[in-house]
Amino acid sequence: MDLIPAVIKDEAFIAEVESYQHDEEHFHLWWLGQSGYLLLWKGKRILIDPYLSDSLTKKYATTNKPHTRMSERVVNPVFLKNISIVTSSHNHTDHLDGETLITVIKNNPDIKFIIPEANRQFICERVQIADDFPIGLNDGESISVDEFTFHGIPAKHTEIERDEHGNCKFMGYVIAFGKWKIYHSGDTLWFDEMVELLKPYRVDIALLPINGNDPSRGVAGNLSAKEAAQLAKAIAAKMVIPCHYNMFTFNTADSGEFANEAQQINQAFCILEPGGHFGSSSLRHL
């Protein structure tokens, strides 16, 4: 199977990021595939849930659940320098990839690593870091790093699961910086309190999964295309960008279906290809 090509990759991708390095007015966002993004604002680079290896394809190659890759890798993590912050929303490998994160952290000695506090021990073992290196966050809490404030939002990946101390194991983040707010849901289903929690943030961009919840896949589910469009509308997001599709053949979705659902309810959206770029100047007319 031919892989879906990245719009731009590796050295050319980094060169494009560098070209916006001194933009003081707008933020810039690139889709890295699955639920991974690179956010650039005022020269500061934030990596959100990067999965930039074939670790899952190798892990499941001889099982009854092969993770057959669909899209080209956007960027080799060895090229990712000058990263201020990296996040993980939960412990699943496509959101906490040791092969990616070990390299990124090694190449960025001053990086800050934001995680769900509940997952600290597991994360430190997988990423081979000291127990006190990550910055732990729980739902209902906020932390500020380098002019970015991260607000913890619970995520329901089958259930809203907590550890023995009440800390949330699956998280989303509202990332606030300057006049902007971006919501990255992590992996989640819709839950009753979701709209009430999110609406006060007046989110500019919602980054939402669309691969749905099909128990026959043998993995925890997410919002469907229709639910992602409806959630963005319900929280009054200015723009929604879909993710968590076109990475693995067994667990994907049709972005065209998502586009149709968003159009039907007049919800602004942007569909990115791997390596695709979104700039906040696109929000001017909304």
Side-chain angles (χ1 to χ4, degrees):
M1 182 185 74
D2 292 335
L3 296 177
I4 298 167
V7 174
I8 194 168
K9 63 182 182 179
D10 291 333
E11 293 97 331
F13 172 81
I14 296 300
E16 182 172 283
V17 174
E18 292 282 356
S19 73
Y20 293 106
Q21 182 72 12
H22 301 294
D23 184 348
E24 294 288 319
E25 183 178 359
H26 303 293
F27 72 79
H28 300 272
L29 191 70
W30 289 265
W31 187 36
L32 303 178
Q34 200 66 339
S35 294
Y37 292 88
L38 175 62
L39 169 64
L40 173 69
W41 179 65
K42 291 174 66 174
K44 295 179 180 178
R45 305 177 191 185
I46 313 301
L47 268 181
I48 304 169
D49 281 29
Y51 175 76
L52 297 168
S53 79
D54 283 319
S55 58
L56 285 170
T57 301
K58 291 182 286 187
K59 178 180 178 179
Y60 288 101
T62 59
T63 72
N64 62 358
K65 194 167 60 179
H67 284 50
T68 304
R69 177 182 271 275
M70 296 177 65
S71 298
E72 280 189 310
R73 180 173 68 175
V74 171
V75 60
N76 187 321
V78 300
F79 295 125
L80 293 171
K81 305 291 180 65
N82 301 313
I83 306 296
S84 297
I85 303 168
V86 64
T87 73
S88 168
S89 61
H90 63 283
N91 286 347
H92 292 161
T93 302
D94 54 334
H95 299 259
L96 178 72
D97 181 37
E99 289 190 24
T100 298
L101 291 168
I102 289 169
T103 299
V104 168
I105 291 171
K106 180 181 178 181
N107 288 343
N108 295 275
D110 296 324
I111 199 170
K112 303 296 189 294
F113 187 15
I114 295 176
I115 66 166
E117 177 59 36
N119 303 339
R120 179 178 295 274
Q121 183 176 358
F122 182 94
I123 287 172
C124 291
E125 290 174 1
R126 173 171 287 183
V127 186
Q128 301 173 22
I129 50 178
D131 289 352
D132 61 353
F133 181 77
I135 300 171
L137 187 62
N138 196 22
D139 63 308
E141 296 179 351
S142 301
I143 53 174
S144 295
V145 179
D146 284 346
E147 298 185 67
F148 294 83
T149 298
F150 291 75
H151 303 276
I153 306 295
K156 182 180 180 181
H157 206 22
T158 304
E159 299 295 337
I160 295 178
E161 190 175 343
R162 299 183 182 276
D163 67 9
E164 65 274 20
H165 304 295
N167 295 314
C168 206
K169 294 183 177 183
F170 299 93
M171 297 272 287
Y173 304 115
V174 172
I175 308 171
F177 53 100
K179 63 181 181 180
W180 310 107
K181 294 184 179 69
I182 293 176
Y183 170 51
H184 184 277
S185 70
D187 281 356
T188 191
L189 301 169
W190 195 306
F191 55 92
D192 289 343
E193 303 85 9
M194 203 171 198
V195 173
E196 182 180 344
L197 284 171
L198 289 167
K199 201 167 184 179
Y201 288 104
R202 300 184 178 183
V203 167
D204 295 288
I205 308 291
L207 308 173
L208 301 179
I210 63 168
N211 58 304
N213 184 25
D214 182 354
S216 69
R217 296 172 180 168
V219 293
N222 274 320
L223 299 168
S224 67
K226 183 174 184 176
E227 289 171 329
Q230 290 177 333
L231 178 61
K233 189 73 171 181
I235 65 173
K238 292 180 183 176
M239 178 76 70
V240 56
I241 299 176
C243 61
H244 212 295
Y245 67 97
N246 282 1
M247 179 59 76
F248 303 116
T249 54
F250 84 103
N251 189 14
T252 188
D254 179 0
S255 60
E257 177 187 349
F258 166 78
N260 183 58
E261 295 290 351
Q263 287 168 344
Q264 287 186 35
I265 60 174
N266 198 30
Q267 169 61 50
F269 66 94
C270 178
I271 293 175
L272 298 176
E273 296 299 321
H277 166 256
F278 176 88
S280 58
S281 59
S282 300
L283 295 173
R284 284 177 175 173
H285 65 283
L286 297 178

